[in-house]
Amino acid sequence: MALFKKRQAGKPGEWYYCLKHGTVEEGPECRAADRLGPYGTRQEASHAMETARERNEEWREDPRWNDDAPGGGGKEA
């Protein structure tokens, strides 16, 4: 018998997007490293990859994090 039970993070009622399977799942089905979330609804989870792309683009364009911009460097004084 194992001393510690391996428990996945997450709760039923929370929605996730599984990167490994490309599917939306409720609660802790796949391991945390393979999923995005939690999201409040199934609909939000189904758009997880779009949301991630949009956020990545926003961060890429943010002068506070753009190391290539003049005067940039990602550090505040």
Side-chain angles (χ1 to χ4, degrees), residues 6-27:
K6 185 175 181 183
R7 188 178 156 235
Q8 295 178 330
K11 303 172 199 161
E14 294 178 331
W15 295 93
Y16 298 88
Y17 181 81
C18 176
L19 298 166
K20 184 175 181 181
H21 300 110
T23 59
V24 174
E25 54 189 42
E26 182 180 13

Side-chain angles (χ1 to χ4, degrees), residues 46-71:
S46 70
H47 295 288
M49 294 304 292
E50 294 168 34
T51 302
R53 273 191 289 276
E54 290 169 3
R55 289 179 180 167
N56 285 344
E57 188 60 31
E58 287 174 17
W59 293 330
R60 227 177 268 119
E61 299 295 323
D62 189 332
R64 295 175 296 173
W65 299 104
N66 190 346
D67 291 341
D68 298 330

